Amino acid sequence: MESVTDVRQLESFNPATGELIGAVPATPPEDVQSVVDAVAAVQPAWGALTLEERGRYLERAAQVVLEEDDDIRDLIVREQGKPRAEAFAMEVLPTVDALGWIAREGAQILADEKISMPQAFLKTKRSTFVYEPLGVIGIISPWNYPWSIPMGEVALALMAGNGVVLKPASLTPLIGQRIASVFARSGVPEGLVRVVHGPGTGAALAESSVGKVFFTGSVETGRSVAEACARRLKGSVLELGGKDPMIVLGDAHMQHAIEGALWGGFANAGQTCSGIERVYVVRSVADKFVAGVVAGAQRLRAGDPMSWDTEIGPMISREQLEIVRDLVDDAVAAGATLHCGGPVDAPAGLDGAWYAPAVLTGVTHDMRIMREEIFGPVLPIITVDSEEEAVALANDSDFGLGASVWTSDRERGERIAGDLESGMVWINDHMFSHGACQCAWGGVKDSGLGRTHSKFGLYECVNVKLRVWEGSMLRDPWWHPYDETVGKAFRQSARLLYGPASERAGALRDGAVPLLKLGGRLARDAIRR
């Protein structure tokens, strides 16, 4: 659907109609370092601003998004293909909230933080954590949430005092440009947020002098980004997709679980890193659950994503549809039952790749569809005999982004959540917390490293520096010269401070003389100063 027509231009096409909607200049990979250098020249003045001053720019950016929300929403629909309602609810609205949260809470989270020094021999020290900008942060963003993912990460980086070079997905370059324009309109210094486009620029960004890279995408590409960063002794934050399980227990509110499965599995045509890709339902409610999901999937309305009542838009590309088709066909050939869904013709007047919501039963864990990321509107369902079996199967995956448990027993749900190997667990809901910036986002195993959003996302954007003040009235007791008095004083101090209560009286008796001698020395040194 998208092509590089020459070395200077990247074109973008509407996945629902096939029409050309715009083009951006392509960046030669060899020019990426010069872009980073240009941002680095602007960043120090931005980093010198107070946290409150930076926050005011982000608050203005939130107002810019609100002022332009209809245009931004429809750009997302036209370039990425998700339905209009989803474009606003899952992309535009969360970023308005995130910009405000980062501005307000970031000023507190990143403020200098005093550190308690309770040790008796450190009482003259005054210690502080100081959160310093890394300089320039590189962000390599995906096509499935081309607005909300990079917008939140850019805001985190800016709040921490950094400049940003953003490399949007080549399928959604116009949205990446619009992000930069929002911050320009909010008044951030010219050149602080720059965008690069085109083949090879992601790798060049990882290999450049940026202080850290935020990457969202495939495991294979993420691993190469991490390796490039590691060779240069800099960090990376990786969100590499998932294979999220949904566990439905017998005491779940069944209609709630059915509706949650439909949204978690089919929102954004299933093209969501933390979408539900595996369902484990206990046998006692399996028939009712499967029947409800199949009926609900058949009711979902595919159509023009610009229409307000459309619930399923097109796949991002025919290539993505073929990946989904291949996985489903492989499962059916191995004995799975396809109850509904599959490739369909584009709705009247439209073009592109369309896949109706599919529900599979009879799948087994040795099928590819249960091991590989589907990234399409497909729900494979396995019936299990116990919650223990469900947890074991849920953990039997290379991925560990999110997971959900559906039960009316909160204590039971939280216990199971503790057993699941994932970065996030939702009880009676799924994946919504990406829209709540106070909640951390990230996974374990092949789903990535590090966290975005929350205070942990802000900490990813800074160098945590320890700053210590010493008043210089006393020298440290462990400084030279060494002798037996020093050794005995410290030995008995350790027993007095950390030993069992029953031994402290003896430690005080045995340590009184060396402690007094050492104290006298320190006092004489202080007088001489």
Side-chain angles (χ1 to χ4, degrees), residues 397-465:
S397 174
D398 292 334
F399 293 99
L401 185 56
S404 58
V405 184
W406 301 72
T407 175
S408 60
D409 185 336
R410 179 172 179 174
E411 182 178 353
R412 185 186 190 191
E414 291 179 349
R415 173 174 50 77
I416 293 173
D419 294 333
L420 290 170
E421 298 168 356
S422 64
M424 300 161 288
V425 181
W426 304 277
I427 302 172
N428 299 323
D429 210 329
H430 200 96
M431 78 178 176
F432 78 93
S433 59
H434 192 269
C437 199
Q438 69 271 25
C439 297
W441 188 267
V444 299
K445 300 194 279 192
D446 280 0
S447 286
L449 298 169
R451 295 294 181 268
T452 61
H453 294 190
S454 77
K455 64 181 180 180
F456 303 108
L458 284 164
Y459 293 151
E460 294 281 7
C461 298
V462 295
N463 171 47
V464 182
K465 177 181 283 185

Side-chain angles (χ1 to χ4, degrees), residues 2-85:
E2 178 191 80
S3 63
V4 180
T5 56
D6 59 44
V7 296
R8 294 167 296 175
Q9 184 167 268
L10 190 66
E11 295 181 335
S12 182
F13 296 85
N14 185 326
T17 66
E19 68 175 329
L20 175 68
I21 58 174
V24 297
T27 309
E30 61 271 20
D31 289 353
V32 169
Q33 181 60 59
S34 64
V35 175
V36 174
D37 292 340
V39 175
V42 179
Q43 180 273 330
W46 175 258
L49 297 179
T50 66
L51 288 161
E52 289 74 17
E53 287 169 335
R54 293 178 215 152
R56 284 195 283 273
Y57 284 96
L58 296 190
E59 289 171 344
R60 285 200 287 272
Q63 294 307 307
V64 172
V65 175
L66 283 175
E67 292 167 7
E68 302 178 358
D69 57 0
D70 286 346
D71 288 343
I72 293 169
R73 177 202 64 216
D74 289 350
L75 174 61
I76 295 167
V77 175
R78 289 187 296 113
E79 191 169 39
Q80 195 272 338
K82 57 169 51 76
R84 234 178 180 188

Side-chain angles (χ1 to χ4, degrees), residues 98-398:
L99 287 162
W101 183 87
I102 293 167
R104 293 188 309 273
E105 300 300 320
Q108 299 180 44
I109 292 168
L110 297 178
D112 291 357
E113 181 180 348
K114 292 182 179 179
I115 306 166
S116 174
M117 304 291 279
Q119 299 90 338
F121 43 87
L122 299 179
K123 288 299 184 183
T124 62
K125 319 291 185 187
R126 298 293 180 267
S127 298
T128 306
F129 287 138
V130 180
Y131 303 103
E132 296 183 337
L134 295 174
V136 181
I137 287 180
I139 296 172
I140 305 172
S141 63
W143 52 260
N144 61 327
Y145 288 86
W147 178 266
S148 62
I149 289 177
M151 173 63 86
E153 293 172 353
V154 171
L156 290 168
L158 292 177
M159 188 63 197
N162 302 285
V164 174
V165 177
L166 169 63
K167 194 281 177 189
S170 291
L171 289 168
T172 53
L174 304 181
I175 297 170
Q177 284 296 129
R178 191 62 175 265
I179 289 172
S181 75
V182 164
F183 287 106
R185 274 205 61 197
S186 72
V188 301
E190 183 178 357
L192 186 68
V193 179
R194 296 278 300 273
V195 185
V196 295
H197 295 285
T201 52
L205 189 58
E207 294 165 0
S208 74
S209 61
V210 294
K212 181 172 276 190
V213 174
F214 282 69
F215 171 83
T216 306
S218 71
V219 175
E220 181 181 1
T221 305
R223 186 174 284 116
S224 68
V225 168
E227 290 171 353
C229 291
R231 284 194 299 271
R232 291 158 179 81
L233 296 180
K234 64 188 178 190
S236 57
V237 178
L238 311 174
E239 203 265 79
L240 306 181
K243 191 75 183 168
D244 281 17
M246 173 188 193
I247 295 176
V248 184
L249 302 179
D251 64 347
H253 187 297
M254 193 50 52
Q255 189 57 38
H256 186 73
I258 289 168
E259 292 172 0
L262 294 169
W263 185 78
F266 301 135
N268 197 30
Q271 300 169 122
T272 302
C273 299
S274 64
I276 296 171
E277 292 213 357
R278 301 176 287 150
V279 182
Y280 304 100
V281 55
V282 297
R283 193 170 301 279
S284 62
V285 295
D287 289 346
K288 183 177 181 180
F289 178 81
V290 171
V293 171
V294 170
Q298 292 172 326
R299 286 194 300 269
L300 291 175
R301 294 165 294 191
D304 186 348
M306 289 295 286
S307 297
W308 285 110
D309 59 356
T310 292
E311 292 154 335
I312 303 294
M315 304 294 290
I316 189 68
S317 65
R318 296 189 187 278
E319 291 77 11
Q320 188 60 35
L321 182 142
E322 290 305 319
I323 291 170
V324 176
R325 185 208 299 264
D326 181 52
L327 287 171
V328 172
D329 288 351
D330 177 78
V332 171
T337 299
L338 178 63
H339 293 265
C340 62
V344 294
D345 292 336
L350 300 177
D351 194 6
W354 299 76
Y355 200 99
V359 180
L360 288 164
T361 60
V363 293
T364 61
H365 251 237
D366 58 353
M367 294 179 182
R368 288 174 53 215
I369 203 163
M370 297 300 285
R371 321 289 314 176
E372 300 175 22
E373 194 171 20
I374 305 170
F375 230 59
V378 179
L379 271 181
I381 303 174
I382 288 182
T383 299
V384 297
D385 291 318
S386 66
E387 69 176 56
E388 291 77 15
E389 182 185 4
V391 170
L393 290 172
N395 288 338
D396 182 22
S397 174
D398 292 334

Side-chain angles (χ1 to χ4, degrees), residues 88-105:
F88 196 89
M90 299 175 72
E91 298 248 37
V92 179
L93 178 59
T95 59
V96 175
D97 184 75
L99 287 162
W101 183 87
I102 293 167
R104 293 188 309 273
E105 300 300 320

